[in-house]
mmCIF file of all heavy atoms in Angstrom:
data_model
loop_
_atom_site.group_PDB
_atom_site.id
_atom_site.type_symbol
_atom_site.label_atom_id
_atom_site.label_comp_id
_atom_site.label_asym_id
_atom_site.label_seq_id
_atom_site.Cartn_x
_atom_site.Cartn_y
_atom_site.Cartn_z
ATOM 1 N N ILE A 1 8.319 12.479 5.977
ATOM 2 C CA ILE A 1 8.519 12.585 4.527
ATOM 3 C C ILE A 1 7.339 11.962 3.792
ATOM 4 O O ILE A 1 6.811 12.536 2.823
ATOM 5 C CB ILE A 1 9.846 11.910 4.125
ATOM 6 C CG1 ILE A 1 11.031 12.735 4.633
ATOM 7 C CG2 ILE A 1 9.940 11.737 2.610
ATOM 8 C CD1 ILE A 1 12.370 12.019 4.540
ATOM 9 N N SER A 2 6.897 10.802 4.246
ATOM 10 C CA SER A 2 5.756 10.133 3.603
ATOM 11 C C SER A 2 4.513 11.017 3.642
ATOM 12 O O SER A 2 3.790 11.140 2.648
ATOM 13 C CB SER A 2 5.472 8.801 4.303
ATOM 14 O OG SER A 2 6.562 7.917 4.160
ATOM 15 N N ARG A 3 4.260 11.637 4.787
ATOM 16 C CA ARG A 3 3.068 12.497 4.913
ATOM 17 C C ARG A 3 3.169 13.720 4.012
ATOM 18 O O ARG A 3 2.198 14.096 3.344
ATOM 19 C CB ARG A 3 2.896 12.923 6.374
ATOM 20 C CG ARG A 3 2.474 11.781 7.292
ATOM 21 C CD ARG A 3 2.463 12.217 8.748
ATOM 22 N NE ARG A 3 2.059 11.123 9.639
ATOM 23 C CZ ARG A 3 2.162 11.155 10.945
ATOM 24 N NH1 ARG A 3 2.648 12.244 11.557
ATOM 25 N NH2 ARG A 3 1.779 10.121 11.684
ATOM 26 N N GLN A 4 4.350 14.351 4.016
ATOM 27 C CA GLN A 4 4.498 15.564 3.203
ATOM 28 C C GLN A 4 4.380 15.254 1.714
ATOM 29 O O GLN A 4 3.748 16.002 0.966
ATOM 30 C CB GLN A 4 5.848 16.222 3.497
ATOM 31 C CG GLN A 4 5.984 16.695 4.933
ATOM 32 C CD GLN A 4 6.512 18.122 5.038
ATOM 33 O OE1 GLN A 4 6.444 18.899 4.109
ATOM 34 N NE2 GLN A 4 7.036 18.451 6.199
ATOM 35 N N LEU A 5 4.971 14.157 1.287
ATOM 36 C CA LEU A 5 4.888 13.797 -0.127
ATOM 37 C C LEU A 5 3.448 13.503 -0.525
ATOM 38 O O LEU A 5 2.980 13.938 -1.581
ATOM 39 C CB LEU A 5 5.766 12.576 -0.411
ATOM 40 C CG LEU A 5 7.279 12.784 -0.352
ATOM 41 C CD1 LEU A 5 8.010 11.459 -0.515
ATOM 42 C CD2 LEU A 5 7.752 13.770 -1.415
ATOM 43 N N GLN A 6 2.746 12.780 0.314
ATOM 44 C CA GLN A 6 1.393 12.353 -0.034
ATOM 45 C C GLN A 6 0.380 13.492 0.009
ATOM 46 O O GLN A 6 -0.569 13.505 -0.782
ATOM 47 C CB GLN A 6 0.957 11.228 0.906
ATOM 48 C CG GLN A 6 -0.199 10.401 0.382
ATOM 49 C CD GLN A 6 -0.359 9.098 1.144
ATOM 50 O OE1 GLN A 6 0.228 8.910 2.199
ATOM 51 N NE2 GLN A 6 -1.162 8.191 0.617
ATOM 52 N N PHE A 7 0.607 14.464 0.898
ATOM 53 C CA PHE A 7 -0.434 15.471 1.100
ATOM 54 C C PHE A 7 -0.067 16.883 0.657
ATOM 55 O O PHE A 7 -0.955 17.738 0.569
ATOM 56 C CB PHE A 7 -0.848 15.494 2.576
ATOM 57 C CG PHE A 7 -1.395 14.180 3.059
ATOM 58 C CD1 PHE A 7 -0.748 13.464 4.053
ATOM 59 C CD2 PHE A 7 -2.541 13.635 2.499
ATOM 60 C CE1 PHE A 7 -1.238 12.247 4.491
ATOM 61 C CE2 PHE A 7 -3.046 12.418 2.929
ATOM 62 C CZ PHE A 7 -2.398 11.712 3.924
ATOM 63 N N THR A 8 1.216 17.176 0.381
ATOM 64 C CA THR A 8 1.567 18.557 0.026
ATOM 65 C C THR A 8 2.323 18.686 -1.293
ATOM 66 O O THR A 8 2.547 19.798 -1.757
ATOM 67 C CB THR A 8 2.417 19.220 1.137
ATOM 68 O OG1 THR A 8 3.688 18.557 1.230
ATOM 69 C CG2 THR A 8 1.720 19.138 2.484
ATOM 70 N N HIS A 9 2.741 17.579 -1.898
ATOM 71 C CA HIS A 9 3.450 17.673 -3.178
ATOM 72 C C HIS A 9 2.481 18.051 -4.294
ATOM 73 O O HIS A 9 1.286 17.754 -4.237
ATOM 74 C CB HIS A 9 4.123 16.332 -3.503
ATOM 75 C CG HIS A 9 5.121 16.414 -4.613
ATOM 76 N ND1 HIS A 9 4.754 16.429 -5.945
ATOM 77 C CD2 HIS A 9 6.476 16.492 -4.590
ATOM 78 C CE1 HIS A 9 5.843 16.516 -6.694
ATOM 79 N NE2 HIS A 9 6.903 16.554 -5.898
ATOM 80 N N PHE A 10 3.005 18.718 -5.315
ATOM 81 C CA PHE A 10 2.161 19.136 -6.440
ATOM 82 C C PHE A 10 1.519 17.930 -7.120
ATOM 83 O O PHE A 10 0.366 17.997 -7.560
ATOM 84 C CB PHE A 10 3.009 19.915 -7.456
ATOM 85 C CG PHE A 10 2.211 20.489 -8.590
ATOM 86 C CD1 PHE A 10 1.607 21.725 -8.467
ATOM 87 C CD2 PHE A 10 2.041 19.784 -9.771
ATOM 88 C CE1 PHE A 10 0.853 22.258 -9.507
ATOM 89 C CE2 PHE A 10 1.295 20.303 -10.823
ATOM 90 C CZ PHE A 10 0.703 21.541 -10.678
ATOM 91 N N ARG A 11 2.273 16.831 -7.225
ATOM 92 C CA ARG A 11 1.735 15.624 -7.864
ATOM 93 C C ARG A 11 0.943 14.823 -6.834
ATOM 94 O O ARG A 11 1.467 14.441 -5.802
ATOM 95 C CB ARG A 11 2.868 14.773 -8.442
ATOM 96 C CG ARG A 11 2.432 13.399 -8.907
ATOM 97 C CD ARG A 11 3.600 12.639 -9.523
ATOM 98 N NE ARG A 11 3.624 12.826 -10.955
ATOM 99 C CZ ARG A 11 4.693 12.619 -11.730
ATOM 100 N NH1 ARG A 11 5.835 12.253 -11.175
ATOM 101 N NH2 ARG A 11 4.629 12.801 -13.034
ATOM 102 N N GLU A 12 -0.312 14.562 -7.137
ATOM 103 C CA GLU A 12 -1.147 13.766 -6.245
ATOM 104 C C GLU A 12 -0.860 12.286 -6.494
ATOM 105 O O GLU A 12 -1.016 11.793 -7.609
ATOM 106 C CB GLU A 12 -2.628 14.071 -6.484
ATOM 107 C CG GLU A 12 -3.560 13.401 -5.506
ATOM 108 C CD GLU A 12 -5.004 13.805 -5.712
ATOM 109 O OE1 GLU A 12 -5.257 14.773 -6.451
ATOM 110 O OE2 GLU A 12 -5.879 13.143 -5.132
ATOM 111 N N GLN A 13 -0.423 11.588 -5.456
ATOM 112 C CA GLN A 13 0.002 10.206 -5.638
ATOM 113 C C GLN A 13 -0.143 9.441 -4.322
ATOM 114 O O GLN A 13 0.303 9.909 -3.275
ATOM 115 C CB GLN A 13 1.471 10.196 -6.093
ATOM 116 C CG GLN A 13 2.010 8.853 -6.461
ATOM 117 C CD GLN A 13 3.352 8.976 -7.167
ATOM 118 O OE1 GLN A 13 3.553 8.415 -8.217
ATOM 119 N NE2 GLN A 13 4.277 9.720 -6.603
ATOM 120 N N ARG A 14 -0.731 8.281 -4.379
ATOM 121 C CA ARG A 14 -0.938 7.473 -3.177
ATOM 122 C C ARG A 14 0.276 6.580 -2.921
ATOM 123 O O ARG A 14 0.950 6.142 -3.860
ATOM 124 C CB ARG A 14 -2.180 6.597 -3.341
ATOM 125 C CG ARG A 14 -3.488 7.369 -3.406
ATOM 126 C CD ARG A 14 -4.649 6.405 -3.579
ATOM 127 N NE ARG A 14 -4.705 5.440 -2.476
ATOM 128 C CZ ARG A 14 -5.449 4.333 -2.502
ATOM 129 N NH1 ARG A 14 -6.188 4.060 -3.573
ATOM 130 N NH2 ARG A 14 -5.446 3.516 -1.463
ATOM 131 N N ILE A 15 0.514 6.321 -1.655
ATOM 132 C CA ILE A 15 1.538 5.344 -1.276
ATOM 133 C C ILE A 15 0.826 4.003 -1.128
ATOM 134 O O ILE A 15 0.162 3.734 -0.120
ATOM 135 C CB ILE A 15 2.242 5.752 0.039
ATOM 136 C CG1 ILE A 15 2.917 7.111 -0.124
ATOM 137 C CG2 ILE A 15 3.281 4.702 0.443
ATOM 138 C CD1 ILE A 15 3.566 7.641 1.144
ATOM 139 N N ASP A 16 0.924 3.189 -2.163
ATOM 140 C CA ASP A 16 0.232 1.902 -2.176
ATOM 141 C C ASP A 16 1.156 0.826 -2.733
ATOM 142 O O ASP A 16 2.356 1.063 -2.932
ATOM 143 C CB ASP A 16 -1.060 2.008 -2.999
ATOM 144 C CG ASP A 16 -0.820 2.542 -4.409
ATOM 145 O OD1 ASP A 16 0.349 2.514 -4.873
ATOM 146 O OD2 ASP A 16 -1.776 2.980 -5.063
ATOM 147 N N SER A 17 0.619 -0.342 -3.004
ATOM 148 C CA SER A 17 1.452 -1.463 -3.452
ATOM 149 C C SER A 17 2.082 -1.191 -4.816
ATOM 150 O O SER A 17 3.200 -1.641 -5.095
ATOM 151 C CB SER A 17 0.621 -2.743 -3.506
ATOM 152 O OG SER A 17 -0.481 -2.598 -4.387
ATOM 153 N N GLU A 18 1.363 -0.443 -5.673
ATOM 154 C CA GLU A 18 1.927 -0.112 -6.988
ATOM 155 C C GLU A 18 3.140 0.806 -6.823
ATOM 156 O O GLU A 18 4.175 0.614 -7.467
ATOM 157 C CB GLU A 18 0.850 0.551 -7.851
ATOM 158 C CG GLU A 18 1.266 0.828 -9.290
ATOM 159 C CD GLU A 18 1.993 2.160 -9.462
ATOM 160 O OE1 GLU A 18 1.721 3.086 -8.671
ATOM 161 O OE2 GLU A 18 2.830 2.255 -10.392
ATOM 162 N N LEU A 19 3.026 1.779 -5.931
ATOM 163 C CA LEU A 19 4.160 2.662 -5.679
ATOM 164 C C LEU A 19 5.290 1.890 -4.997
ATOM 165 O O LEU A 19 6.470 2.145 -5.242
ATOM 166 C CB LEU A 19 3.735 3.846 -4.810
ATOM 167 C CG LEU A 19 4.865 4.866 -4.631
ATOM 168 C CD1 LEU A 19 4.508 6.184 -5.293
ATOM 169 C CD2 LEU A 19 5.182 5.108 -3.167
ATOM 170 N N SER A 20 4.941 0.921 -4.160
ATOM 171 C CA SER A 20 5.953 0.090 -3.507
ATOM 172 C C SER A 20 6.858 -0.572 -4.545
ATOM 173 O O SER A 20 8.087 -0.609 -4.383
ATOM 174 C CB SER A 20 5.278 -0.984 -2.646
ATOM 175 O OG SER A 20 6.233 -1.906 -2.150
ATOM 176 N N GLU A 21 6.278 -1.087 -5.617
ATOM 177 C CA GLU A 21 7.068 -1.721 -6.669
ATOM 178 C C GLU A 21 8.024 -0.722 -7.307
ATOM 179 O O GLU A 21 9.185 -1.047 -7.592
ATOM 180 C CB GLU A 21 6.142 -2.318 -7.731
ATOM 181 C CG GLU A 21 5.286 -3.459 -7.230
ATOM 182 C CD GLU A 21 4.512 -4.119 -8.361
ATOM 183 O OE1 GLU A 21 5.144 -4.510 -9.359
ATOM 184 O OE2 GLU A 21 3.271 -4.227 -8.250
ATOM 185 N N ARG A 22 7.552 0.488 -7.508
ATOM 186 C CA ARG A 22 8.395 1.508 -8.133
ATOM 187 C C ARG A 22 9.514 1.954 -7.194
ATOM 188 O O ARG A 22 10.637 2.214 -7.640
ATOM 189 C CB ARG A 22 7.534 2.694 -8.564
ATOM 190 C CG ARG A 22 6.557 2.348 -9.690
ATOM 191 C CD ARG A 22 5.529 3.439 -9.914
ATOM 192 N NE ARG A 22 6.163 4.707 -10.180
ATOM 193 C CZ ARG A 22 5.650 5.893 -9.855
ATOM 194 N NH1 ARG A 22 4.485 5.952 -9.222
ATOM 195 N NH2 ARG A 22 6.285 6.998 -10.142
ATOM 196 N N VAL A 23 9.213 2.058 -5.886
ATOM 197 C CA VAL A 23 10.255 2.391 -4.913
ATOM 198 C C VAL A 23 11.321 1.302 -4.911
ATOM 199 O O VAL A 23 12.528 1.579 -4.903
ATOM 200 C CB VAL A 23 9.664 2.549 -3.497
ATOM 201 C CG1 VAL A 23 10.782 2.722 -2.472
ATOM 202 C CG2 VAL A 23 8.719 3.738 -3.425
ATOM 203 N N PHE A 24 10.878 0.058 -4.912
ATOM 204 C CA PHE A 24 11.793 -1.083 -4.908
ATOM 205 C C PHE A 24 12.751 -0.994 -6.101
ATOM 206 O O PHE A 24 13.974 -1.087 -5.945
ATOM 207 C CB PHE A 24 10.965 -2.371 -4.971
ATOM 208 C CG PHE A 24 11.772 -3.637 -4.948
ATOM 209 C CD1 PHE A 24 12.181 -4.198 -3.749
ATOM 210 C CD2 PHE A 24 12.109 -4.283 -6.123
ATOM 211 C CE1 PHE A 24 12.917 -5.374 -3.727
ATOM 212 C CE2 PHE A 24 12.846 -5.459 -6.114
ATOM 213 C CZ PHE A 24 13.252 -6.009 -4.910
ATOM 214 N N ASP A 25 12.208 -0.785 -7.296
ATOM 215 C CA ASP A 25 13.047 -0.704 -8.494
ATOM 216 C C ASP A 25 13.949 0.527 -8.470
ATOM 217 O O ASP A 25 15.118 0.470 -8.869
ATOM 218 C CB ASP A 25 12.170 -0.680 -9.755
ATOM 219 C CG ASP A 25 11.479 -2.017 -10.007
ATOM 220 O OD1 ASP A 25 11.999 -3.046 -9.535
ATOM 221 O OD2 ASP A 25 10.418 -2.024 -10.663
ATOM 222 N N ALA A 26 13.403 1.657 -7.997
ATOM 223 C CA ALA A 26 14.192 2.898 -7.963
ATOM 224 C C ALA A 26 15.354 2.781 -6.983
ATOM 225 O O ALA A 26 16.452 3.294 -7.237
ATOM 226 C CB ALA A 26 13.301 4.082 -7.581
ATOM 227 N N TYR A 27 15.129 2.113 -5.867
ATOM 228 C CA TYR A 27 16.178 1.940 -4.862
ATOM 229 C C TYR A 27 17.298 1.044 -5.399
ATOM 230 O O TYR A 27 18.484 1.359 -5.267
ATOM 231 C CB TYR A 27 15.566 1.346 -3.597
ATOM 232 C CG TYR A 27 16.514 1.257 -2.422
ATOM 233 C CD1 TYR A 27 17.417 2.273 -2.127
ATOM 234 C CD2 TYR A 27 16.478 0.155 -1.566
ATOM 235 C CE1 TYR A 27 18.269 2.201 -1.030
ATOM 236 C CE2 TYR A 27 17.313 0.074 -0.460
ATOM 237 C CZ TYR A 27 18.214 1.093 -0.208
ATOM 238 O OH TYR A 27 19.049 1.012 0.881
ATOM 239 N N LEU A 28 16.921 -0.063 -6.036
ATOM 240 C CA LEU A 28 17.935 -0.929 -6.650
ATOM 241 C C LEU A 28 18.693 -0.178 -7.733
ATOM 242 O O LEU A 28 19.920 -0.322 -7.868
ATOM 243 C CB LEU A 28 17.275 -2.176 -7.242
ATOM 244 C CG LEU A 28 16.666 -3.179 -6.253
ATOM 245 C CD1 LEU A 28 16.059 -4.360 -7.001
ATOM 246 C CD2 LEU A 28 17.702 -3.659 -5.250
ATOM 247 N N ASP A 29 17.971 0.646 -8.493
ATOM 248 C CA ASP A 29 18.615 1.417 -9.554
ATOM 249 C C ASP A 29 19.576 2.445 -8.977
ATOM 250 O O ASP A 29 20.642 2.700 -9.526
ATOM 251 C CB ASP A 29 17.550 2.098 -10.413
ATOM 252 C CG ASP A 29 18.151 2.801 -11.618
ATOM 253 O OD1 ASP A 29 18.838 2.131 -12.419
ATOM 254 O OD2 ASP A 29 17.962 4.019 -11.756
ATOM 255 N N GLN A 30 19.189 3.053 -7.850
ATOM 256 C CA GLN A 30 20.070 4.033 -7.232
ATOM 257 C C GLN A 30 21.338 3.387 -6.682
ATOM 258 O O GLN A 30 22.430 3.943 -6.791
ATOM 259 C CB GLN A 30 19.337 4.772 -6.109
ATOM 260 C CG GLN A 30 20.160 5.871 -5.479
ATOM 261 C CD GLN A 30 19.310 6.992 -4.899
ATOM 262 O OE1 GLN A 30 19.486 7.376 -3.775
ATOM 263 N NE2 GLN A 30 18.378 7.514 -5.670
ATOM 264 N N LEU A 31 21.202 2.199 -6.127
ATOM 265 C CA LEU A 31 22.364 1.509 -5.584
ATOM 266 C C LEU A 31 23.217 0.887 -6.685
ATOM 267 O O LEU A 31 24.444 0.996 -6.664
ATOM 268 C CB LEU A 31 21.910 0.421 -4.598
ATOM 269 C CG LEU A 31 21.237 0.878 -3.311
ATOM 270 C CD1 LEU A 31 20.781 -0.328 -2.503
ATOM 271 C CD2 LEU A 31 22.162 1.762 -2.477
ATOM 272 N N ASP A 32 22.583 0.223 -7.631
ATOM 273 C CA ASP A 32 23.315 -0.566 -8.626
ATOM 274 C C ASP A 32 22.698 -0.368 -10.001
ATOM 275 O O ASP A 32 22.245 -1.319 -10.646
ATOM 276 C CB ASP A 32 23.288 -2.051 -8.218
ATOM 277 C CG ASP A 32 24.230 -2.906 -9.059
ATOM 278 O OD1 ASP A 32 25.045 -2.336 -9.805
ATOM 279 O OD2 ASP A 32 24.148 -4.149 -8.962
ATOM 280 N N GLY A 33 22.706 0.889 -10.457
ATOM 281 C CA GLY A 33 22.070 1.228 -11.728
ATOM 282 C C GLY A 33 22.694 0.553 -12.931
ATOM 283 O O GLY A 33 22.026 0.342 -13.952
#
């Protein structure tokens, strides 16, 4: 999933520390929005 998102999705986006913060917040929001 990580490879497909990074290399084939229409939106060009790196998996880096900035994205890590957003994943962290999105996951907490999904569990306990």
Side-chain angles (χ1 to χ4, degrees):
I1 290 168
S2 296
R3 290 174 180 169
Q4 297 228 20
L5 290 174
Q6 199 165 13
F7 300 117
T8 66
H9 193 280
F10 185 86
R11 170 177 266 160
E12 186 176 348
Q13 186 168 231
R14 293 180 59 194
I15 300 176
D16 54 18
S17 59
E18 186 274 331
L19 185 114
S20 172
E21 295 187 53
R22 293 169 56 211
V23 173
F24 181 85
D25 291 335
Y27 186 40
L28 292 180
D29 186 57
Q30 184 152 130
L31 294 176
D32 190 11

